[in-house]
């Protein structure tokens, strides 16, 4: 039986060459091999969303994804790139200022999922936000503050984008 | 005057983000499962597959021989001392020794180099069981000849309470109207997202340290000492961030905690345990399923004269704090209403199921469901408006209940009014389209209970030379915002910014003793202690500053990091300067201590007489639903709640708490149900244990909450509880709304689409029978 | 107790082509080899030890199984490894196969749809799977590939009994083909579950209606069910009741009655069979009405 296999994972823009066992999930490798514990483990079956990461920009449950299958893909986690990620930071600020963080265990997954949502849909409606949160459980907030935080983050990112845009473009 | 104090708040009363939110949002808050120590081993627990069995033998040899396994332990590795909450109810063991009493009970534990190996080792443990007859329902368990779970509890009666106030028989005889109903509630779980986790180190000098996500670290500390039969001073419990609590086991020492320490002792390595969600949902700690028989007598205008309640609680295999659970149900039977005569009888019964204890709202939730559902029926029978009957019976400021609750502040009437306004009650009730309905529900809670054992809180403040504040208490943040509101209280008194206060997590080696986070006690109990500690620091600093400034210390005020002469505001000195002077020139350590014990008032737990809490808070809510008559599906389209949480010290946290509590109750009422078949949990998974998702709730515009502001004299700066009360009225409101929409009266939880659909068929049949 | 354990040990291979996959599974049994598509179910099956394969064949690298293409004959070809998210964003699906889009959108949440595949949803052979009823009513055919060659069969014939498919151990679902829907057609999938989303389906009903040219009567009606029986199935007798007739309350009652007679939903702790039957009755009528409405509104539009 093949045991350790070498893989090269790109996480938050940094390349990690490691040897892993093929039955390791991406969640296990992030937390246990790379020491990135911001991605949480909870239900282990894709229901709670705490383990959400982005693979090539798309939100996935890292507990249901083999690490070997992430080889060659861009993985983004809550830790973000070393130089920082303005989108992630805006979302984090909004979660903080709108009271969307209580126990904080669902928060990293929610924040990462929000990044994917707003990349696809910069101005989501309330319904679209709620739909995007399907698969993310929060037991503390009742989601109200989370929905508000995402609305706030969307506004914040649009404001930032309009400031960046060359004058006269609107 | 109160208004004036509130206006003068520098820090309190303003929506303030949680201090730890930036760290949590960045994924950098270290939860217990995030701890990794050099040489750390991973533990796993073997659990009983049988609901009731004698352990004949355990052969650990094959497991121990598996490469990578470092140690295997069974119940016999512990001293055999039972632990628990009250001397009478100590029935937990770290691992079962000769008997297992429910499916999932911990039987043995292994430590191995990784989780995979530990899991593999479990399969190699050979346990020989002798099966014993099992019993799952309380009625069965109470019958003569039923299997007995615990020798000291004949008839499987785990706890019994009885209380009577006033002349109940006479009041019923006098009543114009009497009705009886039976309600049934179900097993539901706390559903915190962070599974239980811990890391244990028992060093070669005999000192045991546990890092864990505990709500009540000092309870854990004592229980560990009990179960390990060692001195508490040899144990240290260090709190990590807590990923949700709700009393789902994080308030007690659990088998994993004992095993992490014992396996560490045997291996000389740190040992980590993390439950899978399947384990979390299988093991004990859940809401008590109850049968509630409730008889109420009223005058013809709907004034309650008497209530008599008989309650049977399915306690599961162990006590937990079940004795208090049923006591509380009886004590809170009346609130938020005036019930001059009341009688309560209840039994908590051992069965071969996972054990039950506290869960947000504790047993008040079940009682409110029963009582406020029944009150609605009474109103209907007597032709009284549902809001009016509640107003007629409402408790008010200054009332003393027959069981001795002294109600200082209780803006129940205003809560009802606010909800009626926000929800548009009078424009909706009776006027909504078919299959759309609106219902009202009320409840109440207390701000911490005076308990038999450790009840008081303490706080300690130490000033640092840069003018910042080092604040410690024994209260843990579990997401509700303790670290923020305690910092706000200290900052308010000391005239500094919230960020100047460093609130440390609980460490039994360093922080003051405290019963912990439960029962909505922290803001009031610990908050008062923090306020007192800060005031003591101010007194010390004012003394020094007064001397240096040549000002009477009575004239000094603390504001914006300065100490100011109120008579001549030009005379001011920075806080930092005074602290440094005191430290550097006088060698003084500026520390302040505060305590709050809620006075030494005694509660008679036999009769139920006594003022159980320093403060009580009412809540009211309206829920609007739309029911699909062909499937029974319920859509919750609106929820409007109002609470009297006293003066909200951090409105952002209060809002988070009350909305969270309401949503949890929606889940418990409609979707969530821990299904047990012959003691086996059929749905130990978030796939099948269905908590509300973002799409299950009303839109932002139709989901509103209002605080009716009062000034509670017992609270720090007028505050009362916020985290539990708001959920207590929601289930009855839903039941009443479903009735309004469909004519189906549900008395059994959960209110499933199936029960509504078949209920509708029954209603239609009845109509048919009655003719046009 | 059955634990959700960590994954069992297995060997992992990642073929790059369908040929390679067929070669890898030739002469093996399902017990030793497992095909891993999206993995959202398969990983859990392994964690529950329902399956403990010696070798896992990861399909994520087989690019030729990932496509959504309109063929010259007007049909739509979908590669088995197409993720649900890709289906949702494919213009051809949104424009012509609203039933498929609507069904896909009701499965899981974004994280799951980004990974789960159409092939996995079919090959899992679960009676509660949502795509098979919708695909059956759309007239789906599937291509099974093996070293022995390809064969096509109607999806209706794919699930002989609970948890099984007619695919041999050396075959895999490679492609799904949908005929172009008639211009005056419409379909809907009604998924009933306790919450609004993210639930196992209690009952799912797919109805696909083709109107006659005059738009007043049913030319064709197809009905298929999730969790109406041990397998996803088509209610063939119920489908005939309204053929050639107009939409009437009595007609709908008759269809629903027949569909119930053809169903055999099970009672489990998740739901009672009796209640599932009530759902089948109610949702059959509702789905046909909705599908009829869609077909009527599309009548006259260009296919």
């Amino acid at each position: 039986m093949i045991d350790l296999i070498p893989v090269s994972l790109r996480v938050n823009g940094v390349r990690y060459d490691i040897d892993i066992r093929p039955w390791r999930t991406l969640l296990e490798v992030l937390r246990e091999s790379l020491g990135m514990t911001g991605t949480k483990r909870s239900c282990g079956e894709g229901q709670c969303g705490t383990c959400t990461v982005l693979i090539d920009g798309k939100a996935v449950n890292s507990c249901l994804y083999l690490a070997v299958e992430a080889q060659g893909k861009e993985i983004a986690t809550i830790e973000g790139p070393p130089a920082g990620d303005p989108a992630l930071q805006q979302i984090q600020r909004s979660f903080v200022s709108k009271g969307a963080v209580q126990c904080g265990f669902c928060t990293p997954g929610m924040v990462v999922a929000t990044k994917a949502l707003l990349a696809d849909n910069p101005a989501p409606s309330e319904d679209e936000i709620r739909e995007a949160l399907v698969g993310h459980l929060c037991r503390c907030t009742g989601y109200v503050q989370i929905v508000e935080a995402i609305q706030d983050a969307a506004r914040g990112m649009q404001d930032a984008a309009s400031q960046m845009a060359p004058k006269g473009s609107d | 005057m109160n208004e004036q104090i509130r206006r003068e708040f520098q820090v309190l009363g303003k929506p303030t983000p949680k201090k730890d939110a930036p760290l949590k949002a960045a994924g950098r808050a270290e939860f217990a499962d995030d701890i990794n120590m050099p040489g750390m081993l991973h533990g796993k627990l073997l659990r009983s597959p049988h609901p009731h069995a004698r352990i004949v033998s355990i052969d650990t040899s094959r497991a121990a021989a598996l490469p990578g396994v470092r140690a295997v332990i069974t119940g016999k590795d512990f001293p055999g001392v039972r632990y628990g909450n009250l001397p009478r109810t100590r029935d937990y063991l770290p691992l079962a020794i000769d008997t297992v009493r429910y499916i999932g009970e911990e039987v043995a534990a292994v430590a191995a180099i990784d989780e995979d190996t530990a899991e593999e080792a479990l399969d190699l443990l050979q346990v020989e069981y002798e099966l014993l007859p099992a019993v799952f329902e309380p009625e069965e368990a109470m019958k003569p000849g039923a299997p007995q779970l615990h020798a000291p509890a004949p008839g499987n009666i785990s706890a019994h309470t009885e209380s009577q106030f006033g002349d109940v028989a006479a009041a019923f005889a006098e009543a114009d109207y009497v009705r009886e109903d039976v309600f049934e509630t179900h097993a539901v779980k706390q559903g915190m997202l962070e599974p239980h986790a811990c890391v244990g180190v028992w060093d070669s000098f005999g000192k045991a340290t546990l890092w864990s996500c505990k709500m009540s670290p000092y309870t854990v500390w004592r229980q560990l000492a009990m179960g390990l039969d060692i001195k508490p001073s040899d144990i240290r419990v260090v709190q990590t961030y807590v990923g949700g609590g709700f009393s789902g086991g994080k308030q007690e020492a659990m088998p994993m905690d004992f095993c992490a320490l014992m396996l560490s002792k045997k291996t000389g390595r740190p040992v980590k345990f993390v439950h899978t969600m399947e384990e979390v949902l299988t093991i004990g700690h859940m809401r008590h399923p109850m049968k509630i028989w409730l008889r109420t007598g009223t005058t013809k205008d709907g004034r309650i004269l008497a209530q008599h309640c008989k309650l049977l609680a399915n306690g599961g295999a162990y006590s937990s704090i079940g004795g208090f659970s049923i006591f509380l149900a009886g004590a809170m039977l009346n609130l938020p209403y005036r019930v001059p005569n009341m009688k309560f009888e209840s039994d908590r019964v051992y069965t071969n199921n996972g054990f039950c204890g506290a869960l947000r709202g504790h047993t008040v939730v079940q009682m409110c469901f029963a009582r406020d559902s029944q009150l609605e029926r009474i109103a209907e029978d007597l032709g009284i408006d549902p809001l009016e009957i509640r107003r007629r019976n409402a408790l008010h400021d200054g009332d003393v209940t027959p069981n001795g609750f002294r109600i200082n502040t209780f803006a129940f009437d205003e809560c009802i009014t606010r909800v009626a306004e926000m929800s548009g009650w009078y424009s909706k009730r009776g006027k909504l389209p078919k299959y759309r309905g609106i219902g009202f529900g009320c409840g109440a809670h207390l701000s911490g209970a005076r308990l038999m054992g450790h009840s008081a809180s303490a706080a300690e403040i130490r000033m640092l030379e840069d003018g910042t504040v080092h604040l410690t208490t024994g209260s843990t943040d579990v997401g509700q915002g303790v670290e923020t509101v305690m910092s706000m209280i200290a900052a308010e008194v000391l005239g500094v910014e919230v960020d100047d206060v460093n609130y440390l997590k609980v460490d039994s080696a360093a922080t003051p003793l405290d019963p912990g986070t439960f029962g909505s006690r922290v803001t009031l109990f610990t908050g008062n202690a923090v306020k007192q500690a800060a005031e003591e620091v101010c007194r010390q600093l004012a003394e020094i500053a007064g001397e240096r400034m040549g000002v009477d210390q009575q004239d000094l005020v603390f504001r914006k990091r300065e100490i100011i002469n109120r008579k001549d505001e030009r005379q001011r000195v920075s806080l930092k300067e005074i602290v440094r002077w005191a430290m550097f020139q006088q060698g003084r350590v500026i520390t302040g201590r505060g305590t709050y014990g809620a006075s030494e008032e005694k509660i008679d737990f036999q009769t139920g007489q006594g003022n159980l809490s320093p403060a009580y808070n009412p809540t009211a809510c309206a829920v609007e639903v739309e029911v699909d008559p062909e499937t029974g599906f319920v859509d919750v389209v609106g929820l409007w709640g109002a609470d009297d949480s006293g003066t909200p010290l951090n409105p952002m946290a209060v809002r988070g708490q009350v909305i969270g509590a309401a949503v949890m109750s929606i889940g418990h009422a409609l979707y969530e149900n821990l299904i047990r078949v012959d003691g086996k949990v059929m749905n130990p998974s978030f796939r099948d244990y269905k908590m509300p998702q973002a799409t299950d709730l009303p839109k932002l515009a139709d989901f509103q909450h209002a605080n009716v502001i009062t000034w509670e004299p017992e609270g720090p700066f007028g505050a009362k509880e916020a985290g539990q009360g708001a959920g207590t009225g929601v289930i009855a409101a839903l039941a009443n709304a479903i009735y309004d929409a469909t004519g189906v009266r549900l008395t059994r939880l959960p209110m499933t689409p199936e029960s509504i659909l078949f209920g509708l068929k029954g209603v239609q049949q009845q109509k048919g029978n009655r003719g046009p | 107790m059955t634990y959700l354990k960590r994954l069992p040990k297995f060997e992992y291979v990642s073929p790059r082509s369908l040929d390679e996959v067929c070669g890898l599974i030739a002469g093996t049994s399902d017990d030793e080899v497992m095909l891993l598509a999206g993995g959202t179910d398969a990983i859990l099956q392994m964690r529950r030890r329902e399956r403990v394969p010696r070798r896992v064949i990861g399909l994520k690298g087989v690019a030729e199984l990932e496509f959504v293409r309109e063929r010259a004959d007007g049909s739509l070809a979908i590669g088995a490894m197409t993720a649900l998210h890709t289906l949702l964003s494919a213009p051809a699906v949104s424009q012509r196969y609203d039933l498929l889009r609507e069904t896909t959108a009701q499965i899981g949440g974004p994280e799951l749809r980004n990974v789960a595949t159409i092939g996995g949803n079919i090959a899992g052979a679960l009676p509660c799977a949502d795509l098979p009823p919708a695909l059956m009513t759309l007239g789906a055919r599937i291509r099974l590939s093996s070293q022995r060659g390809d064969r096509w069969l109607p999806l209706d014939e794919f699930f002989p009994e609970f948890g099984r498919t007619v695919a041999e151990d050396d075959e895999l679902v490679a492609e799904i083909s949908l005929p172009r829907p008639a211009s005056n057609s419409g379909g809907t999938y009604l998924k009933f579950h306790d919450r609004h989303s993210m639930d196992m389906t209690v009952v799912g009903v797919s109805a696909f209606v083709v109107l006659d040219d005059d738009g007043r009567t049913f030319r064709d009606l197809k009905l298929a069910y999730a969790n109406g029986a041990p397998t996803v199935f088509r209610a063939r007798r119920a489908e005939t009741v309204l053929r050639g007739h107009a939409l009437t309350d009595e007609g709908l009652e008759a269809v629903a009655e027949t569909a119930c007679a053809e169903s055999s939903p099970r009672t489990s702790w998740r739901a009672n069979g009796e209640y599932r039957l009530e759902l089948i009755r109610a949702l059959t009528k509702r789905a046909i009405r909705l599908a009829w409405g869609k077909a009527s509104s599309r009548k006259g539009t260009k296919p």
Side-chain angles (χ1 to χ4, degrees), chain C residues 280-293:
Chain C
I280 290 170
R281 192 186 316 278
L283 298 181
T284 298
K285 291 185 275 186
R286 190 178 293 179
I288 295 171
R289 271 190 199 286
L290 286 168
W292 173 279

mmCIF file of all heavy atoms in Angstrom, chain C residues 280-293:
data_model
loop_
_atom_site.group_PDB
_atom_site.id
_atom_site.type_symbol
_atom_site.label_atom_id
_atom_site.label_comp_id
_atom_site.label_asym_id
_atom_site.label_seq_id
_atom_site.Cartn_x
_atom_site.Cartn_y
_atom_site.Cartn_z
ATOM 1 N N ILE C 280 -47.001 12.939 -1.117
ATOM 2 C CA ILE C 280 -47.020 12.550 -2.531
ATOM 3 C C ILE C 280 -48.331 13.019 -3.164
ATOM 4 O O ILE C 280 -48.352 13.598 -4.255
ATOM 5 C CB ILE C 280 -46.830 11.018 -2.670
ATOM 6 C CG1 ILE C 280 -45.391 10.649 -2.291
ATOM 7 C CG2 ILE C 280 -47.185 10.546 -4.072
ATOM 8 C CD1 ILE C 280 -45.139 9.163 -2.143
ATOM 9 N N ARG C 281 -49.404 12.812 -2.442
ATOM 10 C CA ARG C 281 -50.720 13.225 -2.959
ATOM 11 C C ARG C 281 -50.737 14.740 -3.200
ATOM 12 O O ARG C 281 -51.058 15.201 -4.293
ATOM 13 C CB ARG C 281 -51.795 12.839 -1.926
ATOM 14 C CG ARG C 281 -53.231 12.947 -2.423
ATOM 15 C CD ARG C 281 -54.238 12.686 -1.298
ATOM 16 N NE ARG C 281 -53.895 11.555 -0.451
ATOM 17 C CZ ARG C 281 -54.153 10.277 -0.760
ATOM 18 N NH1 ARG C 281 -54.781 9.983 -1.871
ATOM 19 N NH2 ARG C 281 -53.790 9.314 0.069
ATOM 20 N N ALA C 282 -50.356 15.489 -2.183
ATOM 21 C CA ALA C 282 -50.455 16.951 -2.283
ATOM 22 C C ALA C 282 -49.464 17.508 -3.307
ATOM 23 O O ALA C 282 -49.820 18.364 -4.129
ATOM 24 C CB ALA C 282 -50.207 17.571 -0.917
ATOM 25 N N LEU C 283 -48.238 17.018 -3.243
ATOM 26 C CA LEU C 283 -47.197 17.614 -4.087
ATOM 27 C C LEU C 283 -47.331 17.201 -5.548
ATOM 28 O O LEU C 283 -46.911 17.933 -6.441
ATOM 29 C CB LEU C 283 -45.807 17.270 -3.541
ATOM 30 C CG LEU C 283 -45.534 17.814 -2.125
ATOM 31 C CD1 LEU C 283 -44.120 17.443 -1.678
ATOM 32 C CD2 LEU C 283 -45.734 19.323 -2.051
ATOM 33 N N THR C 284 -47.911 16.032 -5.798
ATOM 34 C CA THR C 284 -48.146 15.626 -7.179
ATOM 35 C C THR C 284 -49.073 16.627 -7.853
ATOM 36 O O THR C 284 -48.793 17.140 -8.948
ATOM 37 C CB THR C 284 -48.751 14.208 -7.227
ATOM 38 O OG1 THR C 284 -47.819 13.299 -6.650
ATOM 39 C CG2 THR C 284 -49.073 13.783 -8.647
ATOM 40 N N LYS C 285 -50.148 16.927 -7.171
ATOM 41 C CA LYS C 285 -51.112 17.882 -7.746
ATOM 42 C C LYS C 285 -50.456 19.250 -7.938
ATOM 43 O O LYS C 285 -50.600 19.888 -8.982
ATOM 44 C CB LYS C 285 -52.330 18.011 -6.810
ATOM 45 C CG LYS C 285 -53.184 16.756 -6.771
ATOM 46 C CD LYS C 285 -54.446 16.944 -5.948
ATOM 47 C CE LYS C 285 -54.181 16.689 -4.482
ATOM 48 N NZ LYS C 285 -55.399 16.727 -3.657
ATOM 49 N N ARG C 286 -49.737 19.667 -6.904
ATOM 50 C CA ARG C 286 -49.128 21.001 -6.957
ATOM 51 C C ARG C 286 -48.070 21.068 -8.066
ATOM 52 O O ARG C 286 -48.009 22.045 -8.812
ATOM 53 C CB ARG C 286 -48.500 21.310 -5.601
ATOM 54 C CG ARG C 286 -48.060 22.734 -5.469
ATOM 55 C CD ARG C 286 -47.488 23.008 -4.089
ATOM 56 N NE ARG C 286 -48.490 22.920 -3.050
ATOM 57 C CZ ARG C 286 -48.215 23.103 -1.755
ATOM 58 N NH1 ARG C 286 -46.978 23.348 -1.366
ATOM 59 N NH2 ARG C 286 -49.168 23.023 -0.854
ATOM 60 N N ALA C 287 -47.288 20.020 -8.171
ATOM 61 C CA ALA C 287 -46.216 20.026 -9.172
ATOM 62 C C ALA C 287 -46.804 20.055 -10.584
ATOM 63 O O ALA C 287 -46.301 20.762 -11.465
ATOM 64 C CB ALA C 287 -45.321 18.805 -8.987
ATOM 65 N N ILE C 288 -47.865 19.289 -10.789
ATOM 66 C CA ILE C 288 -48.459 19.263 -12.136
ATOM 67 C C ILE C 288 -49.028 20.646 -12.487
ATOM 68 O O ILE C 288 -48.827 21.154 -13.588
ATOM 69 C CB ILE C 288 -49.547 18.175 -12.236
ATOM 70 C CG1 ILE C 288 -48.919 16.783 -12.060
ATOM 71 C CG2 ILE C 288 -50.283 18.263 -13.570
ATOM 72 C CD1 ILE C 288 -49.924 15.644 -11.922
ATOM 73 N N ARG C 289 -49.685 21.245 -11.528
ATOM 74 C CA ARG C 289 -50.230 22.594 -11.764
ATOM 75 C C ARG C 289 -49.113 23.580 -12.128
ATOM 76 O O ARG C 289 -49.243 24.362 -13.074
ATOM 77 C CB ARG C 289 -50.904 23.122 -10.501
ATOM 78 C CG ARG C 289 -52.345 22.762 -10.378
ATOM 79 C CD ARG C 289 -52.973 23.540 -9.215
ATOM 80 N NE ARG C 289 -54.202 22.899 -8.809
ATOM 81 C CZ ARG C 289 -55.326 22.955 -9.513
ATOM 82 N NH1 ARG C 289 -55.365 23.640 -10.650
ATOM 83 N NH2 ARG C 289 -56.410 22.333 -9.094
ATOM 84 N N LEU C 290 -48.048 23.527 -11.335
ATOM 85 C CA LEU C 290 -46.948 24.464 -11.591
ATOM 86 C C LEU C 290 -46.306 24.206 -12.943
ATOM 87 O O LEU C 290 -46.008 25.138 -13.699
ATOM 88 C CB LEU C 290 -45.892 24.350 -10.479
ATOM 89 C CG LEU C 290 -46.288 24.973 -9.141
ATOM 90 C CD1 LEU C 290 -45.319 24.539 -8.042
ATOM 91 C CD2 LEU C 290 -46.312 26.501 -9.257
ATOM 92 N N ALA C 291 -46.120 22.919 -13.242
ATOM 93 C CA ALA C 291 -45.501 22.568 -14.527
ATOM 94 C C ALA C 291 -46.410 22.997 -15.681
ATOM 95 O O ALA C 291 -45.948 23.510 -16.709
ATOM 96 C CB ALA C 291 -45.231 21.064 -14.575
ATOM 97 N N TRP C 292 -47.674 22.792 -15.485
ATOM 98 C CA TRP C 292 -48.659 23.210 -16.498
ATOM 99 C C TRP C 292 -48.562 24.725 -16.720
ATOM 100 O O TRP C 292 -48.560 25.210 -17.852
ATOM 101 C CB TRP C 292 -50.065 22.819 -16.013
ATOM 102 C CG TRP C 292 -51.191 23.322 -16.863
ATOM 103 C CD1 TRP C 292 -51.737 24.578 -16.825
ATOM 104 C CD2 TRP C 292 -51.892 22.613 -17.885
ATOM 105 N NE1 TRP C 292 -52.738 24.693 -17.758
ATOM 106 C CE2 TRP C 292 -52.859 23.500 -18.414
ATOM 107 C CE3 TRP C 292 -51.797 21.307 -18.402
ATOM 108 C CZ2 TRP C 292 -53.735 23.126 -19.445
ATOM 109 C CZ3 TRP C 292 -52.676 20.951 -19.414
ATOM 110 C CH2 TRP C 292 -53.616 21.839 -19.935
ATOM 111 N N GLY C 293 -48.473 25.437 -15.611
ATOM 112 C CA GLY C 293 -48.371 26.897 -15.689
ATOM 113 C C GLY C 293 -47.140 27.313 -16.478
ATOM 114 O O GLY C 293 -47.193 28.195 -17.343
#
